[in-house]
Amino acid sequence: MPTQTETKTERVRSMFDDIATRYDLLNKLMTFGVDRSWRHRAVHLLKEDQPTTLLDVAVGTADLALDMAERIPSLRSIVGVDISTEMLEKGEEKVRKAHLPFL
């Protein structure tokens, strides 16, 4: 019998797997487009530190990782992890299309 934590974890994973193909649109609609300015602000703040490596926890469809890769010249490596394999697959597809040298 699964523990309560395992059940919650599986529900969260399943929810994000189910919406992965529509996540970017849903995020834009639910935040009224503010998600883009949040990402730009995060990139601006990180750029000042000139990081060479980043870990993006809950990477989702990789929008933040892609913004960082494009706008922070010091970066050489970004690792993204997520509970949802469907979100990771969507993010990997976007990374491939971006033809970035290290993502």
Side-chain angles (χ1 to χ4, degrees):
M1 180 172 197
T3 67
Q4 188 174 1
T5 302
E6 290 169 330
T7 303
K8 286 180 185 178
T9 300
E10 190 51 44
R11 283 194 311 237
V12 169
R13 179 182 336 218
S14 178
M15 178 188 68
F16 280 103
D17 280 347
D18 289 346
I19 66 168
T21 58
R22 303 178 309 279
Y23 179 78
D24 291 337
L25 175 62
L26 292 171
N27 194 29
K28 228 173 250 158
L29 292 173
M30 289 187 308
T31 66
F32 301 102
V34 176
D35 62 305
R36 186 172 182 187
S37 65
W38 291 336
R39 282 194 305 278
H40 287 284
R41 179 75 176 139
V43 169
H44 175 74
L45 292 170
L46 284 169
K47 190 175 184 177
E48 294 174 6
D49 292 333
Q50 299 181 357
T52 58
T53 305
L54 289 174
L55 172 63
D56 187 346
V57 177
V59 69
T61 62
D63 283 346
L64 180 58
L66 287 165
D67 281 353
M68 289 180 192
E70 291 173 359
R71 293 186 174 87
I72 302 176
S74 60
L75 279 175
R76 299 293 170 254
S77 175
I78 300 174
V79 175
V81 295
D82 202 285
I83 193 172
S84 166
T85 55
E86 296 293 325
M87 295 285 272
L88 285 170
E89 288 175 9
K90 182 76 172 160
E92 287 173 349
E93 179 183 316
K94 290 162 76 174
V95 167
R96 277 193 302 278
K97 287 180 182 176
H99 299 293
L100 293 167
F102 64 86
L103 270 178

XYZ file of all heavy atoms in Angstrom:
823
model
N 0.852 -1.185 0.000
C 0.000 0.000 0.000
C 0.896 1.246 0.000
O 1.791 1.380 0.819
C -0.886 -0.025 1.244
C -1.804 1.141 1.363
S -2.935 0.853 2.746
C -4.154 2.011 2.370
N 0.662 2.189 -0.945
C 1.502 3.390 -1.006
C 1.281 4.293 0.195
O 0.192 4.355 0.746
C 1.058 4.083 -2.290
C -0.249 3.506 -2.654
C -0.363 2.163 -1.967
N 2.338 4.983 0.565
C 2.222 5.942 1.655
C 1.497 7.178 1.159
O 1.346 7.390 -0.044
C 3.600 6.350 2.193
O 4.265 7.079 1.172
C 4.424 5.154 2.619
N 1.070 8.019 2.091
C 0.372 9.246 1.719
C 1.270 10.135 0.857
O 0.823 10.723 -0.115
C -0.071 9.990 2.978
C -0.963 11.173 2.678
C -1.505 11.813 3.942
O -1.214 11.391 5.042
N -2.308 12.835 3.773
N 2.556 10.201 1.183
C 3.503 11.010 0.413
C 3.637 10.483 -1.008
O 3.625 11.249 -1.968
C 4.878 11.037 1.103
O 4.715 11.543 2.415
C 5.857 11.901 0.333
N 3.754 9.169 -1.155
C 3.864 8.594 -2.489
C 2.624 8.899 -3.322
O 2.718 9.202 -4.501
C 4.081 7.080 -2.392
C 5.441 6.709 -1.861
C 5.548 5.239 -1.524
O 4.525 4.633 -1.151
O 6.659 4.716 -1.637
N 1.472 8.852 -2.713
C 0.228 9.141 -3.416
C 0.203 10.602 -3.875
O -0.142 10.883 -5.016
C -0.982 8.848 -2.517
O -0.902 7.492 -2.096
C -2.280 9.069 -3.238
N 0.587 11.524 -3.024
C 0.625 12.937 -3.398
C 1.640 13.167 -4.511
O 1.373 13.894 -5.463
C 0.970 13.805 -2.191
C -0.143 13.962 -1.206
C 0.295 14.838 -0.041
C -0.779 14.914 1.027
N -0.339 15.717 2.172
N 2.800 12.564 -4.389
C 3.844 12.713 -5.401
C 3.356 12.210 -6.751
O 3.536 12.876 -7.772
C 5.113 11.947 -4.970
O 5.568 12.483 -3.736
C 6.205 12.054 -6.010
N 2.732 11.063 -6.752
C 2.218 10.498 -8.000
C 1.107 11.363 -8.591
O 1.033 11.535 -9.803
C 1.723 9.071 -7.785
C 1.406 8.352 -9.069
C 2.511 8.396 -10.106
O 3.689 8.197 -9.757
O 2.200 8.660 -11.283
N 0.268 11.947 -7.759
C -0.794 12.834 -8.261
C -0.198 14.077 -8.918
O -0.664 14.517 -9.974
C -1.741 13.234 -7.133
C -2.724 12.144 -6.766
C -3.846 12.680 -5.903
N -3.343 13.473 -4.792
C -3.605 13.237 -3.515
N -4.368 12.239 -3.166
N -3.115 14.009 -2.568
N 0.824 14.649 -8.298
C 1.476 15.836 -8.872
C 2.128 15.473 -10.200
O 1.966 16.182 -11.198
C 2.504 16.431 -7.882
C 3.360 17.487 -8.557
C 1.797 17.011 -6.664
N 2.849 14.363 -10.217
C 3.507 13.917 -11.459
C 2.466 13.708 -12.554
O 2.647 14.164 -13.679
C 4.267 12.632 -11.212
C 4.950 12.076 -12.441
C 5.634 10.779 -12.143
N 5.902 10.787 -10.712
C 6.956 10.325 -10.102
N 7.863 9.732 -10.749
N 7.132 10.405 -8.813
N 1.393 13.044 -12.234
C 0.354 12.755 -13.209
C -0.291 14.042 -13.732
O -0.550 14.177 -14.935
C -0.706 11.855 -12.567
O -1.740 11.603 -13.472
N -0.532 14.993 -12.839
C -1.144 16.257 -13.251
C -0.250 16.976 -14.264
O -0.715 17.427 -15.310
C -1.380 17.167 -12.043
C -1.976 18.510 -12.417
S -2.046 19.686 -11.063
C -0.318 20.030 -10.789
N 1.039 17.074 -13.974
C 1.944 17.767 -14.893
C 2.167 16.972 -16.171
O 2.302 17.560 -17.248
C 3.254 18.131 -14.200
C 3.131 19.375 -13.365
C 3.019 19.286 -11.992
C 3.089 20.626 -13.948
C 2.879 20.425 -11.213
C 2.947 21.771 -13.191
C 2.837 21.671 -11.817
N 2.189 15.647 -16.084
C 2.261 14.837 -17.299
C 1.056 15.115 -18.194
O 1.188 15.238 -19.410
C 2.318 13.342 -16.965
C 3.705 12.867 -16.547
O 4.686 13.612 -16.746
O 3.796 11.737 -16.021
N -0.116 15.226 -17.585
C -1.353 15.437 -18.343
C -1.405 16.789 -19.043
O -2.009 16.907 -20.115
C -2.579 15.305 -17.436
C -2.835 13.882 -16.988
O -2.246 12.942 -17.572
O -3.624 13.697 -16.032
N -0.818 17.818 -18.469
C -0.904 19.161 -19.070
C 0.358 19.573 -19.822
O 0.423 20.680 -20.350
C -1.243 20.240 -18.014
C -0.111 20.393 -16.993
C -2.575 19.956 -17.360
C -0.245 21.616 -16.108
N 1.348 18.708 -19.909
C 2.645 19.078 -20.489
C 2.531 19.693 -21.877
O 3.201 20.683 -22.178
C 3.572 17.865 -20.520
N 1.679 19.135 -22.731
C 1.574 19.659 -24.096
C 0.932 21.038 -24.142
O 1.120 21.773 -25.107
C 0.781 18.698 -25.003
O -0.516 18.506 -24.451
C 1.506 17.375 -25.152
N 0.177 21.400 -23.099
C -0.502 22.703 -23.056
C 0.080 23.630 -21.995
O -0.415 24.732 -21.794
C -1.997 22.499 -22.747
C -2.712 21.604 -23.706
C -4.176 21.377 -23.356
N -4.462 20.965 -21.994
C -4.367 19.736 -21.493
N -3.947 18.760 -22.246
N -4.686 19.467 -20.245
N 1.125 23.205 -21.329
C 1.639 23.936 -20.175
C 2.048 25.372 -20.511
O 1.706 26.305 -19.790
C 2.825 23.210 -19.531
C 3.377 23.974 -18.361
C 2.735 23.940 -17.127
C 4.504 24.774 -18.490
C 3.204 24.673 -16.054
C 4.992 25.510 -17.419
C 4.341 25.453 -16.211
O 4.799 26.185 -15.154
N 2.784 25.561 -21.589
C 3.262 26.911 -21.916
C 2.090 27.870 -22.115
O 2.103 28.988 -21.602
C 4.151 26.882 -23.154
C 5.474 26.183 -22.902
O 5.900 26.102 -21.729
O 6.073 25.697 -23.874
N 1.072 27.438 -22.839
C -0.106 28.274 -23.053
C -0.839 28.524 -21.736
O -1.208 29.670 -21.433
C -1.052 27.617 -24.059
C -2.381 28.334 -24.281
C -2.162 29.735 -24.850
C -3.279 27.513 -25.186
N -1.043 27.470 -20.958
C -1.733 27.627 -19.670
C -0.983 28.580 -18.748
O -1.591 29.426 -18.082
C -1.895 26.267 -18.990
C -2.851 25.286 -19.656
C -2.742 23.913 -19.006
C -4.272 25.798 -19.590
N 0.333 28.472 -18.711
C 1.153 29.335 -17.864
C 0.998 30.796 -18.288
O 0.839 31.683 -17.453
C 2.613 28.892 -17.932
C 3.454 29.495 -16.843
O 2.981 29.802 -15.755
N 4.727 29.662 -17.134
N 1.027 31.022 -19.593
C 0.863 32.380 -20.109
C -0.509 32.949 -19.736
O -0.628 34.101 -19.309
C 1.022 32.352 -21.624
C 1.942 33.393 -22.157
C 2.182 33.195 -23.625
C 3.610 32.740 -23.755
N 3.995 32.052 -24.905
N -1.534 32.131 -19.916
C -2.898 32.590 -19.626
C -3.116 32.813 -18.131
O -3.699 33.826 -17.732
C -3.922 31.578 -20.152
C -4.013 31.449 -21.665
C -4.936 30.288 -22.043
C -4.493 32.742 -22.300
N -2.668 31.874 -17.309
C -2.914 31.978 -15.865
C -2.141 33.120 -15.218
O -2.571 33.666 -14.212
C -2.559 30.655 -15.172
C -3.536 29.554 -15.487
S -3.280 28.030 -14.553
C -1.575 27.678 -14.821
N -0.998 33.501 -15.808
C -0.203 34.591 -15.230
C -0.402 35.900 -15.988
O 0.258 36.889 -15.688
C 1.301 34.246 -15.241
O 1.762 34.163 -16.598
C 1.593 32.959 -14.498
N -1.303 35.873 -16.977
C -1.529 37.048 -17.827
C -0.228 37.525 -18.479
O 0.003 38.718 -18.647
C -2.194 38.183 -17.038
C -3.519 37.805 -16.455
C -3.623 37.486 -15.112
C -4.650 37.746 -17.251
C -4.849 37.112 -14.577
C -5.877 37.380 -16.721
C -5.984 37.058 -15.369
N 0.655 36.583 -18.810
C 1.908 36.897 -19.487
C 3.027 37.346 -18.567
O 4.138 37.604 -19.019
N 2.757 37.448 -17.279
C 3.769 37.909 -16.324
C 4.909 36.896 -16.183
O 6.024 37.260 -15.823
C 3.126 38.224 -14.954
C 4.153 38.612 -13.916
C 2.103 39.340 -15.115
N 4.652 35.629 -16.536
C 5.697 34.604 -16.440
C 6.944 34.997 -17.225
O 8.062 34.746 -16.782
C 5.180 33.245 -16.931
C 4.756 33.265 -18.391
O 3.914 34.107 -18.763
O 5.256 32.421 -19.152
N 6.748 35.657 -18.340
C 7.895 36.071 -19.159
C 8.760 37.113 -18.423
O 9.982 37.025 -18.414
C 7.412 36.635 -20.486
C 8.538 36.947 -21.405
C 8.057 37.311 -22.770
N 9.229 37.547 -23.608
C 9.178 38.009 -24.805
N 8.029 38.297 -25.359
N 10.288 38.203 -25.477
N 8.123 38.076 -17.788
C 8.896 39.090 -17.060
C 9.585 38.486 -15.838
O 10.689 38.900 -15.486
C 8.021 40.286 -16.667
O 7.028 39.910 -15.758
N 8.964 37.485 -15.205
C 9.620 36.794 -14.085
C 10.904 36.122 -14.559
O 11.940 36.203 -13.906
C 8.705 35.735 -13.487
C 7.506 36.237 -12.760
C 7.334 37.472 -12.176
C 6.297 35.527 -12.535
N 6.094 37.556 -11.611
C 5.427 36.378 -11.803
C 5.856 34.256 -12.870
C 4.160 35.991 -11.414
C 4.586 33.872 -12.473
C 3.754 34.730 -11.759
N 10.812 35.449 -15.708
C 12.008 34.774 -16.250
C 13.095 35.787 -16.597
O 14.267 35.583 -16.284
C 11.645 33.941 -17.478
C 10.984 32.631 -17.151
C 10.946 31.696 -18.337
N 10.323 32.275 -19.516
C 9.011 32.328 -19.722
N 8.178 31.855 -18.818
N 8.543 32.858 -20.834
N 12.716 36.871 -17.232
C 13.702 37.893 -17.601
C 14.358 38.497 -16.369
O 15.561 38.761 -16.370
C 13.074 38.977 -18.485
C 12.790 38.511 -19.859
N 13.767 38.346 -20.820
C 11.627 38.141 -20.451
C 13.231 37.907 -21.934
N 11.936 37.773 -21.738
N 13.590 38.697 -15.324
C 14.146 39.237 -14.069
C 15.134 38.250 -13.453
O 16.217 38.629 -13.009
C 13.007 39.542 -13.087
C 13.461 40.068 -11.765
C 13.895 41.507 -11.864
N 14.235 41.978 -10.529
C 15.263 42.738 -10.278
N 16.028 43.178 -11.244
N 15.526 43.109 -9.051
N 14.769 36.972 -13.436
C 15.665 35.945 -12.891
C 16.960 35.885 -13.688
O 18.054 35.808 -13.114
C 14.980 34.581 -12.896
N 16.858 35.947 -15.001
C 18.054 35.931 -15.848
C 18.922 37.146 -15.546
O 20.142 37.027 -15.400
C 17.667 35.894 -17.345
C 18.872 36.149 -18.232
C 17.018 34.557 -17.690
N 18.306 38.309 -15.430
C 19.050 39.532 -15.137
C 19.814 39.413 -13.812
O 20.993 39.775 -13.723
C 18.104 40.732 -15.096
C 18.749 42.004 -14.698
N 19.578 42.714 -15.545
C 18.709 42.700 -13.532
C 20.021 43.789 -14.910
N 19.513 43.808 -13.694
N 19.141 38.902 -12.786
C 19.788 38.756 -11.476
C 20.940 37.741 -11.512
O 21.996 37.976 -10.920
C 18.762 38.350 -10.423
C 17.718 39.400 -10.072
C 16.623 38.806 -9.196
C 18.362 40.595 -9.380
N 20.742 36.637 -12.202
C 21.793 35.613 -12.277
C 22.972 36.059 -13.134
O 24.111 35.707 -12.861
C 21.221 34.311 -12.820
C 20.383 33.522 -11.835
C 19.659 32.392 -12.551
C 21.250 32.982 -10.713
N 22.690 36.814 -14.158
C 23.736 37.264 -15.080
C 24.819 38.053 -14.356
O 26.001 37.950 -14.683
C 23.105 38.109 -16.188
C 24.013 38.426 -17.325
C 23.224 39.157 -18.406
C 24.079 39.409 -19.613
N 23.312 40.045 -20.692
N 24.418 38.810 -13.347
C 25.373 39.617 -12.585
C 26.442 38.755 -11.906
O 27.570 39.191 -11.728
C 24.637 40.446 -11.531
C 23.726 41.493 -12.109
C 22.887 42.210 -11.062
O 23.089 41.971 -9.849
O 22.041 43.012 -11.466
N 26.085 37.532 -11.519
C 27.028 36.632 -10.835
C 27.919 35.860 -11.795
O 28.839 35.163 -11.362
C 26.272 35.632 -9.955
C 25.609 36.312 -8.774
O 26.099 37.375 -8.341
O 24.601 35.774 -8.287
N 27.661 35.940 -13.086
C 28.424 35.239 -14.116
C 28.600 33.746 -13.808
O 29.717 33.228 -13.800
C 29.775 35.914 -14.324
C 29.666 37.331 -14.779
C 31.020 37.974 -15.016
O 32.065 37.393 -14.786
N 31.003 39.185 -15.502
N 27.501 33.027 -13.593
C 27.621 31.599 -13.296
C 28.101 30.819 -14.519
O 27.883 31.230 -15.657
C 26.184 31.200 -12.943
C 25.342 32.153 -13.721
C 26.112 33.449 -13.705
N 28.762 29.714 -14.263
C 29.171 28.831 -15.357
C 28.314 27.576 -15.402
O 28.209 26.932 -16.443
C 30.651 28.427 -15.227
O 30.848 27.791 -13.967
C 31.554 29.641 -15.348
N 27.695 27.225 -14.273
C 26.853 26.040 -14.180
C 25.602 26.369 -13.369
O 25.693 27.071 -12.371
C 27.607 24.888 -13.469
O 28.826 24.656 -14.152
C 26.788 23.622 -13.449
N 24.460 25.856 -13.817
C 23.209 26.070 -13.093
C 22.418 24.776 -13.005
O 22.485 23.942 -13.905
C 22.336 27.107 -13.795
C 22.808 28.551 -13.734
C 21.921 29.422 -14.609
C 22.780 29.060 -12.307
N 21.667 24.640 -11.931
C 20.724 23.552 -11.752
C 19.332 24.162 -11.735
O 19.029 24.999 -10.887
C 20.998 22.810 -10.439
C 19.961 21.763 -10.032
C 19.891 20.637 -11.060
C 20.289 21.224 -8.645
N 18.488 23.767 -12.678
C 17.110 24.248 -12.750
C 16.207 23.133 -12.231
O 15.927 22.160 -12.930
C 16.760 24.608 -14.193
C 15.392 25.272 -14.325
O 14.596 25.219 -13.367
O 15.127 25.835 -15.402
N 15.769 23.277 -10.976
C 14.889 22.300 -10.348
C 13.453 22.644 -10.726
O 13.053 23.796 -10.654
C 15.070 22.290 -8.813
C 14.107 21.321 -8.156
C 16.511 21.961 -8.459
N 12.692 21.645 -11.143
C 11.348 21.835 -11.688
C 11.440 22.613 -12.999
O 10.759 23.607 -13.215
C 10.417 22.508 -10.680
N 12.302 22.147 -13.877
C 12.608 22.800 -15.143
C 11.397 22.905 -16.063
O 11.343 23.782 -16.921
C 13.792 22.098 -15.864
C 13.409 20.718 -16.356
C 14.346 22.939 -16.989
N 10.422 22.045 -15.873
C 9.224 22.110 -16.702
C 9.555 21.943 -18.168
O 10.240 21.008 -18.561
N 9.098 22.886 -18.982
C 9.340 22.808 -20.423
C 10.580 23.600 -20.842
O 10.760 23.896 -22.018
C 8.112 23.291 -21.205
O 7.859 24.658 -20.888
C 6.887 22.442 -20.907
N 11.405 23.950 -19.889
C 12.750 24.510 -20.105
C 12.792 25.978 -20.534
O 13.836 26.448 -20.981
C 13.557 23.652 -21.077
N 11.721 26.721 -20.383
C 11.753 28.128 -20.799
C 12.817 28.931 -20.061
O 13.559 29.697 -20.687
C 10.391 28.790 -20.602
C 9.398 28.412 -21.683
O 9.815 27.871 -22.723
O 8.196 28.676 -21.487
N 12.908 28.773 -18.751
C 13.901 29.526 -17.997
C 15.316 29.086 -18.383
O 16.189 29.929 -18.600
C 13.692 29.368 -16.485
C 14.667 30.118 -15.588
C 14.636 31.623 -15.868
C 14.349 29.845 -14.120
N 15.534 27.803 -18.510
C 16.854 27.302 -18.899
C 17.251 27.832 -20.272
O 18.405 28.234 -20.483
C 16.860 25.772 -18.894
N 16.320 27.868 -21.195
C 16.614 28.392 -22.529
C 16.933 29.882 -22.484
O 17.878 30.337 -23.140
C 15.440 28.120 -23.472
C 15.292 26.666 -23.905
C 13.928 26.430 -24.529
C 16.403 26.276 -24.847
N 16.158 30.649 -21.720
C 16.443 32.076 -21.575
C 17.830 32.295 -20.988
O 18.581 33.166 -21.435
C 15.398 32.757 -20.686
C 14.092 33.045 -21.411
O 14.025 32.834 -22.630
O 13.136 33.477 -20.738
N 18.169 31.499 -19.975
C 19.490 31.622 -19.358
C 20.593 31.290 -20.354
O 21.590 32.005 -20.450
C 19.592 30.700 -18.146
C 18.769 31.142 -16.975
S 18.988 29.963 -15.631
C 17.693 30.463 -14.544
N 20.425 30.207 -21.080
C 21.440 29.784 -22.045
C 21.675 30.844 -23.118
O 22.809 31.054 -23.554
C 21.028 28.462 -22.686
N 20.623 31.522 -23.521
C 20.740 32.529 -24.572
C 21.281 33.865 -24.070
O 21.902 34.597 -24.825
C 19.373 32.750 -25.221
C 18.907 31.555 -26.028
C 17.483 31.711 -26.533
O 16.829 32.749 -26.234
O 17.012 30.784 -27.201
N 21.059 34.180 -22.793
C 21.358 35.539 -22.315
C 22.477 35.645 -21.282
O 22.828 36.738 -20.872
C 20.084 36.149 -21.744
C 19.047 36.392 -22.816
C 17.843 37.123 -22.266
N 16.927 37.467 -23.329
C 15.967 36.681 -23.792
N 15.812 35.484 -23.278
N 15.179 37.078 -24.757
N 23.015 34.515 -20.849
C 24.095 34.558 -19.865
C 25.339 33.941 -20.508
O 25.509 32.724 -20.534
C 23.717 33.826 -18.559
C 22.445 34.441 -17.950
C 24.864 33.882 -17.557
C 21.929 33.737 -16.708
N 26.212 34.777 -21.049
C 27.363 34.278 -21.803
C 28.322 33.402 -21.010
O 29.017 32.561 -21.585
C 28.072 35.552 -22.273
C 27.179 36.682 -21.965
C 26.143 36.230 -21.007
N 28.376 33.575 -19.706
C 29.322 32.803 -18.894
C 28.904 31.341 -18.726
O 29.730 30.495 -18.368
C 29.468 33.448 -17.510
O 28.215 33.483 -16.843
N 27.644 31.019 -19.001
C 27.151 29.653 -18.781
C 27.782 28.649 -19.724
O 27.907 28.897 -20.921
C 25.628 29.597 -18.937
C 24.836 30.048 -17.743
C 23.347 30.053 -18.070
C 25.089 29.148 -16.550
N 28.158 27.515 -19.165
C 28.710 26.406 -19.937
C 27.883 25.138 -19.760
O 27.990 24.212 -20.546
C 30.156 26.118 -19.528
C 31.104 27.277 -19.754
C 31.270 27.554 -21.257
N 31.976 28.789 -21.484
C 31.404 29.916 -21.907
N 30.124 29.976 -22.134
N 32.107 31.005 -22.113
N 27.035 25.123 -18.703
C 26.249 23.931 -18.415
C 25.008 24.289 -17.612
O 25.088 25.059 -16.659
C 27.100 22.937 -17.623
O 26.346 21.825 -17.230
N 23.868 23.736 -18.031
C 22.628 23.841 -17.276
C 22.056 22.434 -17.153
O 21.916 21.730 -18.152
C 21.593 24.753 -17.958
C 22.130 26.175 -18.116
C 20.284 24.770 -17.159
C 21.216 27.097 -18.904
N 21.741 22.048 -15.946
C 21.106 20.754 -15.699
C 19.675 21.024 -15.258
O 19.448 21.814 -14.346
C 21.862 19.960 -14.609
C 21.126 18.667 -14.282
C 23.297 19.685 -15.043
N 18.728 20.388 -15.916
C 17.334 20.545 -15.561
C 16.754 19.233 -15.063
O 16.992 18.186 -15.659
N 16.015 19.301 -13.964
C 15.336 18.120 -13.421
C 13.873 18.460 -13.188
O 13.522 19.614 -12.936
C 15.983 17.618 -12.101
C 17.390 17.135 -12.348
C 15.968 18.695 -11.039
N 13.011 17.447 -13.304
C 11.593 17.658 -13.093
C 10.947 16.343 -12.718
O 11.409 15.276 -13.129
C 10.935 18.211 -14.365
C 9.633 18.930 -14.074
O 8.624 18.260 -13.799
O 9.639 20.166 -14.099
N 9.876 16.406 -11.964
C 9.140 15.219 -11.548
C 8.377 14.604 -12.722
O 8.090 13.422 -12.741
C 8.188 15.558 -10.380
C 7.655 14.291 -9.738
C 7.067 16.478 -10.826
C 6.873 14.536 -8.464
N 8.052 15.413 -13.711
C 7.223 14.981 -14.838
C 8.066 14.629 -16.058
O 8.730 15.488 -16.639
C 6.239 16.098 -15.204
O 5.641 15.857 -16.463
N 7.997 13.382 -16.476
C 8.746 12.979 -17.670
C 8.177 13.637 -18.924
O 8.926 13.955 -19.850
C 8.751 11.444 -17.839
O 7.406 10.974 -17.848
C 9.523 10.773 -16.739
N 6.879 13.865 -18.951
C 6.265 14.523 -20.115
C 6.748 15.971 -20.242
O 7.004 16.455 -21.350
C 4.740 14.481 -20.021
C 4.156 13.093 -20.052
C 4.346 12.388 -21.378
O 4.306 13.063 -22.423
O 4.545 11.165 -21.366
N 6.876 16.666 -19.123
C 7.384 18.045 -19.152
C 8.842 18.028 -19.627
O 9.242 18.870 -20.440
C 7.286 18.693 -17.771
C 5.861 18.883 -17.282
S 4.997 20.232 -18.077
C 5.461 21.568 -17.012
N 9.626 17.088 -19.120
C 11.022 16.974 -19.543
C 11.123 16.713 -21.043
O 11.973 17.307 -21.722
C 11.733 15.863 -18.774
C 12.103 16.173 -17.337
C 12.582 14.903 -16.634
C 13.164 17.256 -17.267
N 10.282 15.849 -21.561
C 10.305 15.554 -22.994
C 9.969 16.793 -23.812
O 10.601 17.065 -24.836
C 9.360 14.410 -23.322
C 9.881 13.069 -22.843
C 8.902 11.929 -23.055
O 7.859 12.128 -23.732
O 9.185 10.836 -22.534
N 8.987 17.555 -23.373
C 8.624 18.806 -24.058
C 9.797 19.791 -24.005
O 10.134 20.430 -25.003
C 7.377 19.403 -23.402
C 6.877 20.659 -24.034
C 6.167 20.367 -25.316
C 5.507 21.648 -25.804
N 5.200 21.625 -27.197
N 10.446 19.890 -22.845
C 11.607 20.760 -22.711
C 12.761 20.309 -23.591
O 13.417 21.133 -24.242
N 13.024 19.022 -23.646
C 14.101 18.494 -24.488
C 13.852 18.811 -25.962
O 14.775 19.133 -26.706
C 14.250 16.989 -24.289
C 14.871 16.622 -22.968
C 14.863 15.120 -22.703
O 14.193 14.366 -23.453
O 15.531 14.705 -21.739
N 12.601 18.730 -26.374
C 12.235 19.066 -27.755
C 12.558 20.532 -28.052
O 13.123 20.866 -29.098
C 10.739 18.792 -27.940
C 10.190 19.115 -29.295
C 8.690 18.886 -29.342
O 8.219 17.849 -28.822
O 7.976 19.761 -29.875
N 12.225 21.418 -27.126
C 12.507 22.842 -27.306
C 14.015 23.110 -27.320
O 14.501 23.936 -28.097
C 11.831 23.656 -26.203
C 10.318 23.686 -26.355
C 9.609 24.097 -25.102
C 9.668 25.550 -24.811
N 8.822 25.921 -23.646
N 14.754 22.397 -26.486
C 16.206 22.557 -26.441
C 16.821 22.121 -27.765
O 17.689 22.804 -28.317
C 16.809 21.780 -25.246
C 18.319 21.663 -25.365
C 16.414 22.441 -23.934
N 16.373 20.991 -28.304
C 16.890 20.519 -29.599
C 16.632 21.545 -30.693
O 17.502 21.832 -31.512
C 16.253 19.181 -29.984
C 16.902 17.979 -29.365
C 16.431 16.681 -30.016
N 14.992 16.481 -29.952
C 14.340 15.994 -28.898
N 14.998 15.629 -27.825
N 13.028 15.833 -28.941
N 15.436 22.112 -30.708
C 15.080 23.103 -31.729
C 15.895 24.387 -31.596
O 16.116 25.095 -32.567
C 13.588 23.425 -31.664
C 12.724 22.308 -32.189
C 11.257 22.678 -32.100
C 10.399 21.536 -32.591
N 8.962 21.836 -32.430
N 16.348 24.695 -30.384
C 17.102 25.929 -30.155
C 18.550 25.823 -30.641
O 19.213 26.846 -30.825
C 17.096 26.279 -28.660
N 19.052 24.634 -30.870
C 20.425 24.400 -31.344
C 21.467 25.124 -30.515
O 22.404 25.742 -31.035
C 20.574 24.829 -32.806
C 19.675 24.081 -33.740
N 19.799 22.750 -33.997
C 18.584 24.498 -34.442
C 18.871 22.353 -34.832
N 18.101 23.405 -35.110
N 21.315 25.065 -29.209
C 22.295 25.682 -28.317
C 23.458 24.718 -28.101
O 23.270 23.506 -28.075
C 21.641 26.066 -26.987
C 20.604 27.178 -27.124
C 19.785 27.298 -25.857
C 21.275 28.483 -27.445
N 24.654 25.240 -27.935
C 25.837 24.388 -27.902
C 25.961 23.482 -26.684
O 26.633 22.472 -26.738
C 27.003 25.371 -27.955
C 26.443 26.658 -27.441
C 24.995 26.654 -27.834
N 25.307 23.809 -25.582
C 25.560 23.012 -24.385
C 24.318 22.506 -23.674
O 24.419 21.835 -22.667
C 26.437 23.773 -23.384
C 25.790 25.022 -22.841
C 24.950 24.966 -21.755
C 26.033 26.231 -23.448
C 24.369 26.119 -21.274
C 25.454 27.385 -22.967
C 24.618 27.336 -21.877
N 23.146 22.826 -24.131
C 21.937 22.330 -23.475
C 21.514 21.010 -24.075
O 21.651 20.764 -25.216
C 20.796 23.334 -23.619
C 20.673 24.360 -22.531
C 19.546 25.321 -22.830
C 20.505 23.779 -21.178
